[in-house]
Amino acid sequence: MATILPAYSPTSPYYSSSSPMRASTSMSNRIPVIFRRLTRFQQMDFELAAWQLTYLCLAPKRVYRNVYFHKQTKNTWARDDPAILILLAACLSVSAVAWSVVYSYTPLQAVQLALLMIFRDYLLLGIAVATILWFFSNRVLVSPPSHSTPADSVVEWAYAFDVHTNAFFPLYLTLYLAQLFLVPIILKSNWICLFVSNTLYLAAFGQYVYGVYLGLNALPFLVRSELLLTPLLPLFTGYIVSLLGFNVAKHVLPMYFGS
């Protein structure tokens, strides 16, 4: 009986480490699973993603309890279901439409605003933040090797992006939704309105920093995770100084909608 051999043998020159097939596979594996599955809508669990978004506001620690279960079942800390990314993109799109109505934007301008919020505010800044968190955590926060430390004690880049995603949603509710209803107040030229405006931004970024801390603090092999709360000090200091007459909203909103 004839034996059917594979098209490429590991010893074949066509299966070398520099072959296009091997290179494309290696490049594909470097992309986090959550991005590679963005088009597989039938496999997404939107109910779980909606539950997570809800509890990120009500009880964020409860969301991170699922991290241990995910590690035990799929051997990875990072989520592999992109449903939460789709829901966040939908939320940002709805916000863009609402802001466009307030500022009398055309449909094309509304689409441009939605793309700006999704790709710049969430994705590009998220990639930058995740890279910083990934580098800092692995260099500074990982506990020294010991018999009690797992062999795979490393913060995955995809998990750092998950942490950004989870921390971003409360910020989204504060700055992309709540601020929308407060625009008539926060743009007025008096100290009370300035106080409301700057307190809103303090709350938003304070929630983000705390969300990042909770996300990385959930990993059992990280130590000194309290260092992640350090940005709260300059944030609060800047807030106090801004109350002397610097309205944050008056400088941020023109970056989106012009003067």
Side-chain angles (χ1 to χ4, degrees), residues 224-245:
R224 301 184 300 275
S225 54
E226 295 80 10
L227 291 174
L228 296 167
L229 296 174
T230 303
L232 290 177
L233 180 60
L235 180 65
F236 188 73
T237 302
Y239 167 74
I240 296 299
V241 174
S242 71
L243 295 180
L244 299 177

Side-chain angles (χ1 to χ4, degrees), residues 193-254:
C193 296
L194 179 147
F195 172 79
V196 173
S197 168
N198 294 4
T199 302
L200 190 72
Y201 279 83
L202 173 69
F205 287 102
Q207 286 175 310
Y208 184 86
V209 172
Y210 183 66
V212 167
Y213 161 75
L214 287 180
L216 291 174
N217 190 54
L219 299 181
F221 53 84
L222 293 187
V223 295
R224 301 184 300 275
S225 54
E226 295 80 10
L227 291 174
L228 296 167
L229 296 174
T230 303
L232 290 177
L233 180 60
L235 180 65
F236 188 73
T237 302
Y239 167 74
I240 296 299
V241 174
S242 71
L243 295 180
L244 299 177
F246 184 86
N247 190 322
V248 177
K250 284 188 174 182
H251 292 79
V252 172
L253 292 181

Side-chain angles (χ1 to χ4, degrees), residues 12-253:
S12 169
Y14 299 103
Y15 195 78
S16 66
S17 60
S18 59
S19 66
M21 178 180 295
R22 185 71 176 270
S24 62
T25 302
S26 177
M27 183 63 68
S28 176
N29 290 336
R30 293 180 182 179
I31 301 175
V33 176
I34 194 171
F35 292 129
R36 298 203 303 266
R37 296 183 176 179
L38 273 174
T39 58
R40 303 179 185 178
F41 293 100
Q42 294 180 346
Q43 300 178 9
M44 298 183 190
D45 190 344
F46 287 100
E47 183 178 352
L48 175 61
W51 177 89
Q52 290 178 337
L53 290 178
T54 301
Y55 275 91
L56 283 171
C57 302
L58 301 178
K61 290 183 179 180
R62 186 170 178 180
V63 176
Y64 287 110
R65 290 175 190 164
N66 293 337
V67 170
Y68 299 99
F69 176 76
H70 197 272
K71 176 64 175 176
Q72 293 171 355
T73 56
K74 300 190 177 181
N75 196 33
T76 178
W77 296 103
R79 60 166 60 96
D80 55 2
D81 185 356
I84 196 168
L85 305 187
I86 303 299
L87 291 183
L88 270 176
C91 290
L92 288 168
S93 298
V94 170
S95 295
V97 172
W99 281 97
S100 298
V101 171
V102 171
Y103 281 88
S104 302
Y105 269 18
T106 64
L108 179 59
Q109 289 175 314
V111 172
Q112 292 174 338
L113 181 62
L115 294 176
L116 182 72
M117 290 179 173
I118 294 171
F119 288 99
R120 186 191 69 179
D121 296 0
Y122 171 62
L123 280 177
L124 291 182
L125 289 179
I127 289 172
V129 170
T131 302
I132 294 171
L133 292 175
W134 167 76
F135 181 83
F136 179 78
S137 300
N138 287 312
R139 287 298 183 94
V140 179
L141 303 183
V142 174
S143 60
S146 67
H147 67 279
S148 60
T149 303
D152 57 346
S153 298
V154 62
V155 178
E156 308 160 4
W157 185 92
Y159 183 78
F161 188 82
D162 274 355
V163 170
H164 157 72
T165 296
N166 294 341
F168 183 84
F169 187 64
L171 181 144
Y172 158 79
L173 293 177
T174 305
L175 295 185
Y176 292 80
L177 283 186
Q179 184 177 209
L180 175 64
F181 298 98
L182 294 173
V183 164
I185 298 174
I186 62 178
L187 294 182
K188 289 184 177 180
S189 299
N190 62 67
W191 190 86
I192 297 298
C193 296
L194 179 147
F195 172 79
V196 173
S197 168
N198 294 4
T199 302
L200 190 72
Y201 279 83
L202 173 69
F205 287 102
Q207 286 175 310
Y208 184 86
V209 172
Y210 183 66
V212 167
Y213 161 75
L214 287 180
L216 291 174
N217 190 54
L219 299 181
F221 53 84
L222 293 187
V223 295
R224 301 184 300 275
S225 54
E226 295 80 10
L227 291 174
L228 296 167
L229 296 174
T230 303
L232 290 177
L233 180 60
L235 180 65
F236 188 73
T237 302
Y239 167 74
I240 296 299
V241 174
S242 71
L243 295 180
L244 299 177
F246 184 86
N247 190 322
V248 177
K250 284 188 174 182
H251 292 79
V252 172
L253 292 181

